[in-house]
Structure formats: C-alpha cells, structure tokens
Amino acid sequence: MDDTRKYRRKQKKRRLLLKTILATALIAILAVGTGAWYIVNQLNDTASSAYQGLNRGEMSELRVEPVDIGKDNFSMLILGSDFREGDSGGERTDTMLVATFNKGDRSIKLTSIPRDTYTEIIGYTEGPFYDKINHANAFGGIDMAIDTVENLLDIPIDHYALARFDGLVDIIDALEGIDIDVTYEFDFKEKSRNVDFTFTKGPTHMDGEKALAYARERKSAESGGDKGRGIRQQQVIEAIIDRAASLSSITRFNDLFDAVGNNLQMDLTFGNIVSLHGYASSIDTIETLQVHTNGQMRPDIYGNNIWYEDAVEEDLYALQQTLREHLELPSDTENELYTQ
C-alpha cells in the first residue's frame, strides 16, 4: 500500500474514533454544520433537557479555577450504561472512558478503564472502601463516579456525559434504522424485551431493538465477552453517527432530538457542545490508552468469590504522569511540593 493510501486510512480511522468518542455532540455535528436556525434552536432545547450539573459545582476540587472548553486543556469522563427500567440496584456504568484534550498540541488522549477495575470508591463510606469501579455510579451517582476516577488517575475530571444504550432504540428508530457489518452468526433471545433475533454474517440493516440486541450480545462462543461487547457497542454508535450525518429530510429531526434528549445526561451546556464541535475539526493526534490490569478472584465484603481486575501499579503511575503532562498539570512530585 502506497503512503498516500496509508495516510488516508489513518486519517479516516482518526475521524471515526473522534466521532465515536464525541457521540454526545451528535446533534451539534448536524446543527452547527447546517447553520439552520430551526435546528440550532432545537439543539439548545435538547442540551437543556440533557443537562444535569454536579453537586460539587462547576469546578473539580483538583482545579484552582474552572476550565473554559473554548480556551483551556480539559478532561471529560464518558460513561456508557446498559441500565434499563426495571433493573434492580443502581445504575452501573459498564463503559468508562476518559478523554483529555490539549489545545496547544491539538491532541486527544483516550483512556479506557476496565469496568471490573478494583479501586477505592471515594465517598461511599467514612473509611476506605474498595470495589469494582463501575459500581461507583450505582453507589453514589455521577459525583461519586467522578471522584473515584479522579482518585484512580490523579487528574481532575472537568466534565462528563452519560449515554444509556437502552435509549438507542428510540434514536435508531428515529433514524429509520442503521447498517452494521455483522462479523459472526449468532442467536439472541431475551424474554424481558420479548425479542428473538438471528444474526447472520455480513452487512445488516437493523431497527432499534435489533441493534440493541447486537450491542448487548456476549453469550455466544464467538462473542469475546465484555471486550467483544464493547467493540459491538462502538459499531452501533459509529453506525448512528454515519446514518445521522446522511439525513437530508428535516422532518426527521424532531424525533431524533427527543430521543437524544431523553437518553443522554451531561453537564455540558449548548455553548460547550458548540465549542467541542469546533475543536473536533482541528485535531491532529488521537492516542488511545488503557489502565492495564491483571485479573483474579477475590472474596468480596460478603465472602463471595468475585472476579476483579487489579491495576498494574507501575503502569498506572506512568499513565497518571502521561495524563497530567497532557493536561499540562504539575507532576505529582511538583504538586506535593506546591501544596506543602
């Protein structure tokens, strides 16, 4: 393959990854690009309905002053939830990504956190309490999830967005379906939703219910478990972006705005979203990182043997330093000297 084709493929992958991670700005990509006042006005309403601020206020305790998305380096916690109405217990966030943005370098670092990562859940009890990181939101909501991620990565989390996969049914139906290239054949049955699907290998047009089933699949031999499910969820989001970008009829936007507004929760304002959209076009570099872990069985507080993922200490420290440098924060040593 010649250098030009390699470059084009690399650029295409970068754009696709950026679109996936900035799925919370889905409607902004459409509205701001068209310049149509009707759509921009609807976007403002949608952003308002999805907005949910944090108990801590607009600034992380690890910041000296609030960040301005339009001017400063910042971080964002992106959460994906498989929670559905009728599920027992709190809302666990099975997808956790931290995006750090550096304006000077025009770069993004995307750090994924395995949902079973064993870490201290900040604020759950008076003393230290350890559990899977995806339980933090279930125990204490978004604020506790953010505090826990800040403690794990040693960086401030400036903003967040939570998308519920169950709500994708309405979004996909508003788009009149999406097209996904299914990589293997499997059957999916779920009594609670009264669905029974057979997936065949190859390009497939899916309505909302079928796409949700595809995103939730993890039981067949070829599913790849939770990691494979994460890849399929990414496929679904990418297909939504591609389908939304191809819309030509404005009559479809009402249902789409309603679906997004009802299934997205974030602390981003309309102005923040517009700033994110503008920033997307100037990205030079996107790097993917991960919290490296080793899995093992360990008794929980009730004595049950549970699978946990322990962060590799040396790798975690190096990752913390990388993210702090990307946000142009002092190193942990410099920070300790500064605060003494």
Side-chain angles (χ1 to χ4, degrees):
M1 184 181 297
D2 59 49
D3 291 341
T4 300
R5 289 179 62 190
K6 285 182 180 179
Y7 174 78
R8 287 176 178 171
R9 287 187 61 182
K10 189 174 183 180
Q11 289 297 99
K12 184 177 180 181
K13 288 181 179 179
R14 285 178 175 175
R15 288 196 299 269
L16 191 59
L17 182 57
L18 180 62
K19 285 181 179 179
T20 300
I21 299 307
L22 299 184
T24 57
L26 168 64
I27 307 303
I29 294 173
L30 301 173
V32 178
T34 64
W37 171 249
Y38 168 80
I39 299 176
V40 172
N41 191 50
Q42 287 290 95
L43 169 61
N44 197 356
D45 292 342
T46 299
S48 297
S49 65
Y51 180 84
Q52 182 172 317
L54 295 164
N55 294 332
R56 72 178 190 190
E58 64 177 348
M59 186 179 73
S60 166
E61 292 183 0
L62 300 182
R63 290 286 193 186
V64 176
E65 58 185 26
V67 299
D68 181 343
I69 281 183
K71 300 177 181 178
D72 303 324
N73 301 331
F74 68 95
S75 65
M76 184 173 178
L77 176 62
I78 300 169
L79 305 166
S81 169
D82 206 14
F83 187 84
R84 295 169 294 165
E85 287 190 19
D87 286 352
S88 60
E91 183 170 8
R92 299 177 183 179
T93 50
D94 290 342
T95 300
M96 304 185 78
L97 290 166
V98 173
T100 56
F101 297 75
N102 186 289
K103 291 300 181 72
D105 293 342
R106 296 192 298 178
S107 63
I108 298 177
K109 292 188 187 295
L110 305 172
T111 302
S112 62
I113 305 173
R115 67 175 193 166
D116 291 338
T117 300
Y118 187 72
T119 191
E120 184 177 357
I121 308 298
I122 303 300
Y124 185 54
T125 59
E126 291 185 3
F129 176 83
Y130 289 79
D131 204 340
K132 295 181 179 183
I133 196 165
N134 74 324
H135 291 184
N137 186 69
F139 290 156
I142 293 295
D143 278 88
M144 187 171 290
I146 287 177
D147 290 344
T148 297
V149 172
E150 285 187 336
N151 183 68
L152 176 69
L153 297 182
D154 192 31
I155 60 170
I157 298 297
D158 300 307
H159 291 283
Y160 82 92
L162 169 65
R164 296 180 177 87
F165 269 90
D166 196 41
L168 294 183
V169 172
D170 295 334
I171 294 173
I172 293 168
D173 286 343
L175 294 170
E176 298 182 357
I178 57 175
D179 297 308
I180 293 179
D181 190 5
V182 178
T183 57
Y184 63 95
E185 185 174 324
F186 66 94
D187 294 323
F188 185 96
K189 296 181 180 181
E190 192 169 53
K191 292 183 179 179
S192 62
R193 298 189 71 94
N194 192 29
V195 297
D196 186 350
F197 296 117
T198 295
F199 291 85
T200 56
K201 188 175 180 179
T204 305
H205 187 76
M206 304 182 188
D207 64 8
E209 283 288 357
K210 191 163 188 176
L212 178 63
Y214 182 76
R216 290 173 60 84
E217 140 74 354
R218 60 173 177 170
K219 294 184 178 180
S220 65
E222 297 181 73
S223 70
D226 287 329
K227 292 182 179 179
R229 183 172 67 164
I231 293 173
R232 285 183 291 280
Q233 289 176 347
Q234 186 180 44
Q235 277 186 283
V236 170
I237 293 175
E238 291 170 357
I240 290 172
I241 298 291
D242 289 340
R243 176 62 176 161
S246 69
L247 282 178
S248 59
S249 173
I250 199 169
T251 59
R252 300 176 184 174
F253 279 106
N254 280 333
D255 289 342
L256 186 56
F257 277 117
D258 288 342
V260 172
N262 292 334
N263 298 292
L264 179 66
Q265 175 184 323
M266 60 184 179
D267 71 336
L268 296 175
T269 64
F270 173 72
N272 293 150
I273 294 176
V274 173
S275 295
L276 267 178
H277 175 65
Y279 182 66
S281 63
S282 68
I283 296 301
D284 277 348
T285 305
I286 300 173
E287 181 182 1
T288 57
L289 304 170
Q290 186 175 38
V291 174
H292 294 147
T293 59
N294 292 321
Q296 64 173 303
M297 299 292 290
R298 178 187 294 115
D300 64 9
I301 59 174
Y302 304 106
N304 302 312
N305 281 330
I306 303 294
W307 181 265
Y308 293 101
E309 295 283 343
D310 294 318
V312 178
E313 189 172 343
E314 291 182 0
D315 291 348
L316 178 60
Y317 177 77
L319 175 62
Q320 291 170 343
Q321 299 311 302
T322 296
L323 296 182
R324 292 187 68 86
E325 288 174 7
H326 193 235
L327 290 171
E328 298 182 3
L329 299 170
S331 68
D332 60 344
T333 302
E334 292 172 333
N335 193 50
E336 287 175 5
L337 292 173
Y338 176 77
T339 56
Q340 286 180 353

